[in-house]
Amino acid sequence: KVCSEDMLWQMSVTISDVDDRERLGTKLSYGFNRTYTKLESGELFNDGFLSGYVYALNSQIRKFFNLSEETKFIRTRFDMTTYKGEETFTFSPHVDIDGEHLTSIFYFHTTDAPTVLYNEITDFPDFIDKSKLTVMEEVECIENRVIIFYGKHIHSGKSLTSGPRRILMNTNFSIPPETLEN
């Protein structure tokens, strides 16, 4: 369903809200997404197309990583970036949302566009000094792989040069207060 012609993508002029201003309006800045969210209750938006699939996949991620039932879905967003040329570049480093959370990324395709995880953590996602970031790990984008990490870790993606698109499902989960205390 996600990779079918039936998927309704929304074009965005930036890959992340903090994309470099010099890239805006160029072939390097745009991407596509589709968001499923209901922040307060943790319930997913029901549109009849992917909601059951999103809920089932997120439940499996929660089970696989042994997350408690108190760990709620905050936001799920599908992202698609497309081929932008032979030169690889890194999109703007960011965190997905404010507050305490976990972030998971599920990859639908194998591409040469890894996710970059930085050592740095931020409480101020609008003020990331890229010159001070150090790479903790680059995670290969492999079909059916899922990664999960502390959501305040600054992260980014790289552009792909091997194929037409990179599609992933990005979910942010709440962290129960008792987990933070431990």
Side-chain angles (χ1 to χ4, degrees), residues 57-63 65 67-68 70-76 97 99-105 146-149 151 169-176:
L57 188 52
N58 281 330
S59 294
Q60 287 301 311
I61 290 170
R62 188 166 55 194
K63 183 178 176 183
F65 287 103
L67 302 176
S68 75
E70 283 73 46
T71 305
K72 302 294 183 196
F73 312 130
I74 298 172
R75 180 195 77 152
T76 294
I97 60 173
E100 298 292 337
H101 64 285
L102 297 172
T103 296
S104 73
I105 300 173
V146 64
I147 63 171
I148 193 165
F149 54 92
M169 184 180 83
N170 172 276
T171 299
N172 305 110
F173 296 93
S174 67
I175 301 176

Short mmCIF file of all heavy atoms in Angstrom, two decimals, residues 57-63 65 67-68 70-76 97 99-105 146-149 151 169-176:
data_model
loop_
_atom_site.label_atom_id
_atom_site.label_comp_id
_atom_site.label_asym_id
_atom_site.label_seq_id
_atom_site.Cartn_x
_atom_site.Cartn_y
_atom_site.Cartn_z
N LEU A 57 1.85 -2.23 12.48
CA LEU A 57 3.31 -2.15 12.39
C LEU A 57 3.90 -1.49 13.63
O LEU A 57 4.88 -1.97 14.20
CB LEU A 57 3.73 -1.41 11.12
CG LEU A 57 5.22 -1.41 10.79
CD1 LEU A 57 5.81 -2.82 10.79
CD2 LEU A 57 5.46 -0.76 9.44
N ASN A 58 3.30 -0.41 14.10
CA ASN A 58 3.79 0.25 15.30
C ASN A 58 3.65 -0.65 16.53
O ASN A 58 4.49 -0.64 17.42
CB ASN A 58 3.09 1.58 15.53
CG ASN A 58 3.65 2.67 14.66
OD1 ASN A 58 4.82 2.66 14.29
ND2 ASN A 58 2.82 3.63 14.30
N SER A 59 2.58 -1.43 16.58
CA SER A 59 2.41 -2.37 17.70
C SER A 59 3.51 -3.43 17.67
O SER A 59 4.03 -3.82 18.73
CB SER A 59 1.04 -3.05 17.62
OG SER A 59 0.02 -2.08 17.82
N GLN A 60 3.87 -3.90 16.48
CA GLN A 60 4.96 -4.87 16.37
C GLN A 60 6.30 -4.25 16.77
O GLN A 60 7.12 -4.91 17.41
CB GLN A 60 5.04 -5.44 14.95
CG GLN A 60 3.93 -6.40 14.62
CD GLN A 60 3.93 -7.59 15.56
OE1 GLN A 60 4.94 -8.24 15.79
NE2 GLN A 60 2.77 -7.88 16.13
N ILE A 61 6.52 -3.01 16.39
CA ILE A 61 7.75 -2.32 16.80
C ILE A 61 7.79 -2.20 18.32
O ILE A 61 8.81 -2.48 18.96
CB ILE A 61 7.85 -0.92 16.13
CG1 ILE A 61 8.10 -1.09 14.63
CG2 ILE A 61 8.95 -0.07 16.78
CD1 ILE A 61 7.96 0.19 13.82
N ARG A 62 6.68 -1.81 18.92
CA ARG A 62 6.60 -1.67 20.38
C ARG A 62 6.88 -3.03 21.04
O ARG A 62 7.64 -3.11 22.01
CB ARG A 62 5.23 -1.14 20.78
CG ARG A 62 5.15 -0.78 22.24
CD ARG A 62 3.95 0.04 22.59
NE ARG A 62 2.71 -0.59 22.19
CZ ARG A 62 1.55 0.03 22.14
NH1 ARG A 62 1.46 1.31 22.46
NH2 ARG A 62 0.47 -0.60 21.77
N LYS A 63 6.31 -4.09 20.49
CA LYS A 63 6.52 -5.44 21.05
C LYS A 63 7.97 -5.89 20.86
O LYS A 63 8.59 -6.40 21.79
CB LYS A 63 5.56 -6.41 20.36
CG LYS A 63 5.61 -7.81 20.89
CD LYS A 63 4.59 -8.70 20.17
CE LYS A 63 4.69 -10.13 20.60
NZ LYS A 63 3.76 -10.99 19.86
N PHE A 65 10.72 -4.19 20.54
CA PHE A 65 11.66 -3.47 21.39
C PHE A 65 11.25 -3.48 22.87
O PHE A 65 11.82 -2.75 23.67
CB PHE A 65 11.85 -2.03 20.89
CG PHE A 65 12.65 -1.97 19.62
CD1 PHE A 65 12.03 -1.78 18.39
CD2 PHE A 65 14.02 -2.15 19.64
CE1 PHE A 65 12.76 -1.73 17.22
CE2 PHE A 65 14.77 -2.11 18.47
CZ PHE A 65 14.14 -1.90 17.26
N LEU A 67 8.66 -2.40 24.51
CA LEU A 67 8.15 -1.14 25.06
C LEU A 67 6.83 -1.43 25.77
O LEU A 67 6.02 -2.21 25.29
CB LEU A 67 7.93 -0.12 23.95
CG LEU A 67 9.17 0.22 23.10
CD1 LEU A 67 8.77 1.16 21.96
CD2 LEU A 67 10.27 0.81 23.94
N SER A 68 6.61 -0.80 26.90
CA SER A 68 5.42 -1.06 27.70
C SER A 68 4.16 -0.55 27.00
O SER A 68 4.22 0.26 26.07
CB SER A 68 5.55 -0.39 29.07
OG SER A 68 5.36 1.01 28.95
N GLU A 70 2.22 1.50 28.19
CA GLU A 70 2.12 2.93 28.47
C GLU A 70 2.86 3.76 27.42
O GLU A 70 2.76 4.98 27.38
CB GLU A 70 2.65 3.26 29.86
CG GLU A 70 1.69 2.91 30.99
CD GLU A 70 1.60 1.40 31.23
OE1 GLU A 70 2.65 0.74 31.28
OE2 GLU A 70 0.47 0.90 31.32
N THR A 71 3.66 3.11 26.59
CA THR A 71 4.38 3.79 25.51
C THR A 71 3.39 4.00 24.37
O THR A 71 3.03 3.06 23.68
CB THR A 71 5.58 2.95 25.04
OG1 THR A 71 6.40 2.64 26.16
CG2 THR A 71 6.39 3.69 24.00
N LYS A 72 2.95 5.23 24.19
CA LYS A 72 1.91 5.55 23.20
C LYS A 72 2.53 6.08 21.91
O LYS A 72 3.62 6.63 21.90
CB LYS A 72 0.95 6.60 23.77
CG LYS A 72 0.27 6.20 25.06
CD LYS A 72 -0.66 5.03 24.85
CE LYS A 72 -1.38 4.68 26.14
NZ LYS A 72 -1.99 3.39 26.10
N PHE A 73 1.78 5.95 20.84
CA PHE A 73 2.18 6.55 19.56
C PHE A 73 1.91 8.05 19.66
O PHE A 73 0.80 8.45 19.98
CB PHE A 73 1.37 5.99 18.40
CG PHE A 73 1.25 4.50 18.36
CD1 PHE A 73 0.02 3.91 18.21
CD2 PHE A 73 2.36 3.70 18.45
CE1 PHE A 73 -0.11 2.53 18.16
CE2 PHE A 73 2.25 2.32 18.40
CZ PHE A 73 1.00 1.73 18.26
N ILE A 74 2.88 8.85 19.37
CA ILE A 74 2.67 10.30 19.33
C ILE A 74 2.41 10.75 17.90
O ILE A 74 1.49 11.50 17.62
CB ILE A 74 3.90 11.06 19.89
CG1 ILE A 74 4.14 10.69 21.35
CG2 ILE A 74 3.71 12.57 19.74
CD1 ILE A 74 5.43 11.24 21.90
N ARG A 75 3.24 10.27 17.00
CA ARG A 75 3.12 10.69 15.60
C ARG A 75 3.74 9.61 14.72
O ARG A 75 4.77 9.04 15.06
CB ARG A 75 3.88 11.99 15.37
CG ARG A 75 3.80 12.48 13.93
CD ARG A 75 4.83 13.54 13.65
NE ARG A 75 6.14 12.92 13.48
CZ ARG A 75 7.10 13.41 12.74
NH1 ARG A 75 6.94 14.56 12.12
NH2 ARG A 75 8.25 12.79 12.62
N THR A 76 3.10 9.34 13.62
CA THR A 76 3.68 8.49 12.58
C THR A 76 3.63 9.26 11.28
O THR A 76 2.60 9.83 10.94
CB THR A 76 2.92 7.16 12.43
OG1 THR A 76 3.08 6.40 13.63
CG2 THR A 76 3.44 6.35 11.26
N ILE A 97 10.24 15.96 17.07
CA ILE A 97 9.26 16.68 17.89
C ILE A 97 9.92 17.12 19.19
O ILE A 97 10.98 16.61 19.56
CB ILE A 97 8.02 15.80 18.19
CG1 ILE A 97 8.42 14.54 18.95
CG2 ILE A 97 7.26 15.46 16.91
CD1 ILE A 97 7.25 13.71 19.44
N GLY A 99 10.13 17.47 23.40
CA GLY A 99 9.79 16.65 24.56
C GLY A 99 10.46 15.29 24.55
O GLY A 99 11.18 14.92 23.63
N GLU A 100 10.20 14.57 25.63
CA GLU A 100 10.76 13.23 25.82
C GLU A 100 10.05 12.24 24.91
O GLU A 100 8.82 12.15 24.94
CB GLU A 100 10.62 12.79 27.27
CG GLU A 100 11.37 13.65 28.26
CD GLU A 100 12.88 13.54 28.12
OE1 GLU A 100 13.39 12.52 27.60
OE2 GLU A 100 13.56 14.50 28.54
N HIS A 101 10.81 11.50 24.11
CA HIS A 101 10.20 10.51 23.22
C HIS A 101 11.25 9.57 22.66
O HIS A 101 12.45 9.82 22.79
CB HIS A 101 9.45 11.20 22.07
CG HIS A 101 10.33 11.98 21.14
ND1 HIS A 101 10.86 13.20 21.45
CD2 HIS A 101 10.76 11.70 19.89
CE1 HIS A 101 11.59 13.65 20.45
NE2 HIS A 101 11.54 12.75 19.49
N LEU A 102 10.79 8.50 22.07
CA LEU A 102 11.61 7.58 21.30
C LEU A 102 11.25 7.76 19.84
O LEU A 102 10.11 8.09 19.51
CB LEU A 102 11.34 6.13 21.70
CG LEU A 102 11.67 5.74 23.15
CD1 LEU A 102 11.15 4.33 23.44
CD2 LEU A 102 13.16 5.82 23.39
N THR A 103 12.20 7.54 18.97
CA THR A 103 11.97 7.63 17.53
C THR A 103 12.30 6.29 16.89
O THR A 103 13.34 5.70 17.19
CB THR A 103 12.85 8.74 16.90
OG1 THR A 103 12.46 10.00 17.44
CG2 THR A 103 12.72 8.76 15.39
N SER A 104 11.42 5.81 16.03
CA SER A 104 11.72 4.60 15.25
C SER A 104 11.65 4.95 13.78
O SER A 104 10.88 5.83 13.37
CB SER A 104 10.76 3.46 15.58
OG SER A 104 9.48 3.70 15.04
N ILE A 105 12.47 4.27 13.01
CA ILE A 105 12.46 4.42 11.56
C ILE A 105 12.40 3.02 10.95
O ILE A 105 13.23 2.17 11.26
CB ILE A 105 13.71 5.18 11.05
CG1 ILE A 105 13.77 6.57 11.65
CG2 ILE A 105 13.71 5.23 9.51
CD1 ILE A 105 15.04 7.34 11.34
N VAL A 146 14.24 -1.92 11.04
CA VAL A 146 13.70 -0.88 11.90
C VAL A 146 14.76 -0.52 12.93
O VAL A 146 15.47 -1.40 13.44
CB VAL A 146 12.37 -1.30 12.58
CG1 VAL A 146 12.56 -2.48 13.52
CG2 VAL A 146 11.72 -0.14 13.29
N ILE A 147 14.93 0.77 13.18
CA ILE A 147 15.84 1.23 14.22
C ILE A 147 15.02 2.05 15.21
O ILE A 147 13.96 2.59 14.87
CB ILE A 147 17.02 2.06 13.67
CG1 ILE A 147 16.53 3.35 13.00
CG2 ILE A 147 17.86 1.22 12.72
CD1 ILE A 147 17.65 4.32 12.62
N ILE A 148 15.51 2.13 16.44
CA ILE A 148 14.84 2.95 17.45
C ILE A 148 15.92 3.62 18.28
O ILE A 148 16.97 3.03 18.55
CB ILE A 148 13.87 2.09 18.31
CG1 ILE A 148 12.96 2.98 19.13
CG2 ILE A 148 14.62 1.09 19.15
CD1 ILE A 148 11.75 2.25 19.72
N PHE A 149 15.67 4.88 18.64
CA PHE A 149 16.66 5.63 19.42
C PHE A 149 15.97 6.72 20.22
O PHE A 149 14.81 7.06 19.96
CB PHE A 149 17.75 6.22 18.51
CG PHE A 149 17.25 7.06 17.37
CD1 PHE A 149 17.10 8.44 17.49
CD2 PHE A 149 16.92 6.47 16.15
CE1 PHE A 149 16.64 9.21 16.43
CE2 PHE A 149 16.46 7.24 15.08
CZ PHE A 149 16.32 8.61 15.24
N GLY A 151 14.68 10.04 21.17
CA GLY A 151 14.22 11.04 20.21
C GLY A 151 14.91 12.38 20.25
O GLY A 151 14.83 13.14 19.30
N MET A 169 9.01 4.83 7.31
CA MET A 169 7.97 5.19 8.25
C MET A 169 8.66 5.62 9.53
O MET A 169 9.45 4.88 10.11
CB MET A 169 7.04 4.01 8.55
CG MET A 169 5.88 4.39 9.46
SD MET A 169 4.77 3.00 9.84
CE MET A 169 5.67 2.22 11.19
N ASN A 170 8.39 6.83 9.94
CA ASN A 170 9.00 7.43 11.13
C ASN A 170 7.92 7.55 12.20
O ASN A 170 6.89 8.19 11.97
CB ASN A 170 9.56 8.80 10.73
CG ASN A 170 10.05 9.60 11.89
OD1 ASN A 170 9.27 10.28 12.54
ND2 ASN A 170 11.33 9.55 12.15
N THR A 171 8.14 6.91 13.36
CA THR A 171 7.17 6.99 14.45
C THR A 171 7.85 7.52 15.70
O THR A 171 8.97 7.13 16.02
CB THR A 171 6.55 5.61 14.76
OG1 THR A 171 5.86 5.16 13.59
CG2 THR A 171 5.56 5.69 15.91
N ASN A 172 7.15 8.41 16.39
CA ASN A 172 7.62 8.92 17.67
C ASN A 172 6.71 8.35 18.75
O ASN A 172 5.48 8.40 18.62
CB ASN A 172 7.59 10.45 17.69
CG ASN A 172 8.39 11.02 16.54
OD1 ASN A 172 7.82 11.59 15.62
ND2 ASN A 172 9.70 10.85 16.56
N PHE A 173 7.31 7.79 19.78
CA PHE A 173 6.61 7.16 20.89
C PHE A 173 6.84 7.97 22.16
O PHE A 173 7.94 8.46 22.38
CB PHE A 173 7.13 5.75 21.15
CG PHE A 173 6.91 4.77 20.04
CD1 PHE A 173 7.88 4.56 19.06
CD2 PHE A 173 5.75 4.01 19.98
CE1 PHE A 173 7.70 3.63 18.05
CE2 PHE A 173 5.55 3.08 18.97
CZ PHE A 173 6.52 2.89 18.01
N SER A 174 5.82 8.03 23.00
CA SER A 174 6.00 8.65 24.31
C SER A 174 6.91 7.77 25.17
O SER A 174 7.04 6.57 24.91
CB SER A 174 4.65 8.82 25.01
OG SER A 174 4.10 7.55 25.34
N ILE A 175 7.53 8.38 26.16
CA ILE A 175 8.32 7.62 27.13
C ILE A 175 7.60 7.74 28.46
O ILE A 175 7.46 8.86 28.98
CB ILE A 175 9.76 8.15 27.25
CG1 ILE A 175 10.48 8.11 25.89
CG2 ILE A 175 10.54 7.36 28.29
CD1 ILE A 175 11.87 8.71 25.91
N PRO A 176 7.12 6.64 29.03
CA PRO A 176 6.42 6.73 30.31
C PRO A 176 7.33 7.32 31.39
O PRO A 176 8.54 7.06 31.39
CB PRO A 176 6.09 5.26 30.64
CG PRO A 176 6.12 4.56 29.33
CD PRO A 176 7.16 5.27 28.50
#
